[in-house]
Amino acid sequence: MKQNIYILIFLFGIVLIPRLSFAQNDDLGDNDDKFQELFYEALKQKGIENYDRSAEALLACIEIDKSVPVLYFELGKNYMQLKNFGAAEDALKEAVSKDPNNEWYLDELYGYYASQNDYKNAIKTVKQLVKYHPDYEEDLASLYLKSERFDEALEVLDQMDAKHGVSVSRDLMRNRIYKITGRKKDQIKNLQDRVDNNPQKESNYLALIFRYSENNEKEKAFATAKELLKMNPESQLVHLALYKFYLDENDAENAIESMKIVVKSTEIKPEAKLKVLTDFVQFVSDNPEYEQDLVEATTLVSNTNNSKTLIELGQYHLSKNDKTKALEYFETALQLEPDNFNVLRTVMLLYIDLKQYKLAQEKSSAALEEYPSQPLFYLVNGVALNELNTPKKALESLEMGLDFIIDDTKMEADFYKQLSKAYTLLNNTQKAKTFNDKAQKLESSN
């Protein structure tokens, strides 16, 4: 009997299974029918995950005809499911030996070796598969990496880059090899070659700048960044590196110009902009004569929807004692991050500082519904209520909040001051004095 035709079988998710037919002879008897009946029974049992019964049917087929490769292929897959790995390998190797050019058989055998971390045999099998699909080349490089055959891995990656161009996945593998082996010079050489071979590609320069910087070769990184800017004057990403180099060179004018380009760029991610803006704030703190440039930069990001950037801007204006401007940024940040406790706290304290007592009362009352054990919010609420001339409500909030203070004498003293103020508003001078004395006693003990 010989396998002489193939059809697609869509049965229980099985595809590309060779159908068996047999050479005609004068008397078929029951052999052909029995063989095919057993084979399709094997497929059926496999489809319902009865792998042991499927294997039994396939073994019965093999007793009838040992020459059919697909029997061993299906048998190997069943043994894999049954975790009978030795038998699985033997069956799959037999299938390949009978049909050495069958990609499906080779791929299954490769999958078996990979699952067993048998890199030596996996490499041998993948080398046979490469002629069918170039994708297997990357598998080969990965196997060389896992086997610590780094030179061979890099050779395959170089060949693939030459044929198909660079890719993120291959670069990740390449950089991992460079890191493991400490071949920083080889890594730089590879990136330099990319720049030389494709000087119009921005990403090649950026990768080289990054590696130079990582290796603390700042002068080379700076030179490469300038080269990129010369090649592509419209580049925005290069300014993520340039501004820092200009700052190190005390070239304030160019540093600020690069910062502004970064801040208003549509290509640069908010997280990177935040880092630049943070450096900008620090730079202006040390060089206040450039504050107007920072104001211009903050105007460029005034419509940002990145809460971290807004918080950073708020902190800057706080450091300049511009509480009104700071509040604007913190309120916008709070709209983006309503559960940010620190921002909520800052906003309420700013309401008090700016004498916006109605807002402080409303915001603290709402906060207490979500944070009923936070004494600060009771204090803010009490302060606002006192200032709004509703001392009875202030007393209720303050007395409740006192119970939640833990090891914070300063806050406790603030509570006593507000309690004293509430009783003063109620003309209860005796209690007002009692709480004022408590506050002074705590303050004097610090």
Side-chain angles (χ1 to χ4, degrees):
M1 291 179 287
K2 295 181 180 180
Q3 181 180 5
N4 58 15
I5 64 171
Y6 290 84
I7 65 170
L8 297 178
I9 300 173
F10 294 92
L11 175 65
F12 301 104
I14 300 170
V15 296
L16 296 174
I17 300 296
R19 182 178 176 179
L20 308 175
S21 64
F22 308 96
Q24 295 293 325
N25 54 50
D26 293 334
D27 183 11
L28 294 176
D30 291 333
N31 283 345
D32 285 351
D33 292 340
K34 181 65 175 176
F35 186 95
Q36 294 195 46
E37 180 183 334
L38 285 167
F39 181 68
Y40 289 108
E41 177 65 17
L43 296 183
K44 184 182 79 171
Q45 293 299 329
K46 178 187 171 188
I48 58 177
E49 300 182 2
N50 286 332
Y51 302 113
D52 51 350
R53 291 188 180 181
S54 179
E56 289 173 6
L58 290 166
L59 289 170
C61 285
I62 290 171
E63 287 186 11
I64 297 172
D65 187 349
K66 296 181 174 62
S67 67
V68 185
V70 73
L71 300 177
Y72 300 94
F73 174 62
E74 291 296 328
L75 185 61
K77 291 197 289 184
N78 280 311
Y79 283 145
M80 284 289 288
Q81 294 293 337
L82 293 167
K83 302 190 184 305
N84 188 348
F85 298 118
E89 180 184 11
D90 290 340
L92 292 171
K93 286 171 67 175
E94 186 67 23
V96 170
S97 72
K98 293 183 181 301
D99 190 357
N101 295 316
N102 190 305
E103 177 188 350
W104 304 102
Y105 300 171
L106 287 167
D107 185 71
E108 193 69 27
L109 183 59
Y110 162 50
Y112 163 76
Y113 287 133
S115 72
Q116 302 302 302
N117 296 323
D118 184 348
Y119 301 132
K120 180 180 178 181
N121 281 310
I123 288 170
K124 179 181 177 181
T125 309
V126 167
K127 283 182 175 180
Q128 294 175 266
L129 281 164
V130 164
K131 61 185 177 183
Y132 297 104
H133 285 297
D135 289 347
Y136 285 111
E137 289 181 283
E138 195 159 327
D139 285 45
L140 181 58
S142 178
L143 288 167
Y144 280 139
L145 169 58
K146 291 176 180 177
S147 303
E148 299 184 355
R149 294 164 65 175
F150 301 120
D151 289 336
E152 290 163 289
L154 287 171
E155 184 179 351
V156 172
L157 292 173
D158 288 342
Q159 291 170 356
M160 292 189 73
D161 287 351
K163 285 189 290 185
H164 312 295
V166 299
S167 76
V168 173
S169 61
R170 290 198 297 276
D171 271 353
L172 287 172
M173 202 184 308
R174 182 187 293 278
N175 290 332
R176 186 178 170 194
I177 293 170
Y178 289 138
K179 184 175 182 180
I180 292 171
T181 59
R183 300 181 186 179
K184 292 183 178 180
K185 289 184 179 179
D186 289 347
Q187 186 176 35
I188 291 292
K189 177 67 166 58
N190 176 262
L191 295 172
Q192 287 172 332
D193 289 343
R194 290 186 187 183
V195 169
D196 294 340
N197 294 331
N198 192 352
Q200 301 302 313
K201 192 169 183 179
E202 182 183 46
S203 60
N204 289 340
Y205 291 90
L206 295 172
L208 184 56
I209 292 166
F210 175 78
R211 292 302 171 190
Y212 275 139
S213 299
E214 186 180 55
N215 294 344
N216 204 31
E217 298 182 71
K218 292 183 180 180
E219 290 184 5
K220 290 182 178 180
F222 195 8
T224 305
K226 288 178 178 177
E227 189 179 342
L228 170 55
L229 191 63
K230 183 178 179 181
M231 183 278 295
N232 180 10
E234 302 302 315
S235 174
Q236 296 175 17
L237 292 170
V238 70
H239 290 281
L240 277 171
L242 279 174
Y243 91 90
K244 196 71 173 175
F245 297 137
Y246 287 137
L247 285 179
D248 291 343
E249 295 287 316
N250 294 314
D251 186 348
E253 183 176 340
N254 279 319
I256 289 171
E257 187 60 33
S258 288
M259 287 176 174
K260 289 179 181 177
I261 290 172
V262 170
V263 167
K264 65 182 179 182
S265 171
T266 57
E267 298 179 18
I268 296 173
K269 294 181 179 180
E271 293 78 10
K273 289 185 181 183
L274 174 62
K275 175 65 172 66
V276 174
L277 193 60
T278 301
D279 287 345
F280 207 162
V281 169
Q282 182 59 51
F283 172 75
V284 173
S285 296
D286 298 334
N287 303 272
E289 64 270 25
Y290 296 104
E291 183 171 358
Q292 186 55 43
D293 292 289
L294 179 61
V295 171
E296 182 181 341
T298 58
T299 301
L300 293 171
V301 295
S302 60
N303 294 322
T304 182
N305 61 355
N306 182 273
S307 60
K308 291 182 179 179
T309 301
L310 293 164
I311 292 168
E312 186 67 30
L313 290 170
Q315 292 291 359
Y316 169 74
H317 287 292
L318 268 186
S319 71
K320 305 301 291 183
N321 204 34
D322 187 349
K323 294 181 179 179
T324 301
K325 194 67 177 176
L327 179 59
E328 292 178 15
Y329 286 111
F330 284 119
E331 283 182 317
T332 306
L334 192 60
Q335 290 174 6
L336 296 173
E337 278 191 76
D339 295 327
N340 190 317
F341 179 85
N342 289 327
V343 174
L344 177 61
R345 174 184 180 277
T346 301
V347 166
M348 283 193 284
L349 291 174
L350 284 171
Y351 284 148
I352 295 295
D353 289 346
L354 295 171
K355 303 185 186 306
Q356 298 182 26
Y357 300 120
K358 182 65 175 173
L359 282 172
Q361 186 271 320
E362 292 172 355
K363 183 70 73 174
S364 59
S365 293
L368 284 169
E369 293 181 8
E370 189 170 355
Y371 305 101
S373 62
Q374 287 295 332
L376 176 66
F377 296 158
Y378 288 100
L379 179 59
V380 170
N381 195 251
V383 171
L385 288 168
N386 271 337
E387 295 297 334
L388 293 169
N389 201 28
T390 52
K392 287 185 179 180
K393 290 183 179 180
L395 285 175
E396 292 176 10
S397 184
L398 293 165
E399 288 171 352
M400 189 177 299
L402 270 174
D403 294 334
F404 296 105
I405 298 175
I406 301 174
D407 297 330
D408 191 338
T409 55
K410 184 180 184 307
M411 182 178 287
E412 189 176 356
D414 289 338
F415 266 85
Y416 290 147
K417 288 178 183 178
Q418 291 301 317
L419 284 165
S420 176
K421 184 170 184 176
Y423 280 118
T424 298
L425 291 171
L426 291 170
N427 295 317
N428 189 334
T429 56
Q430 183 177 353
K431 284 195 172 183
K433 184 179 184 306
T434 298
F435 284 109
N436 187 58
D437 290 345
K438 287 185 176 183
Q440 289 182 352
K441 182 176 180 182
L442 284 175
E443 288 178 332
S444 63
S445 65
N446 289 335

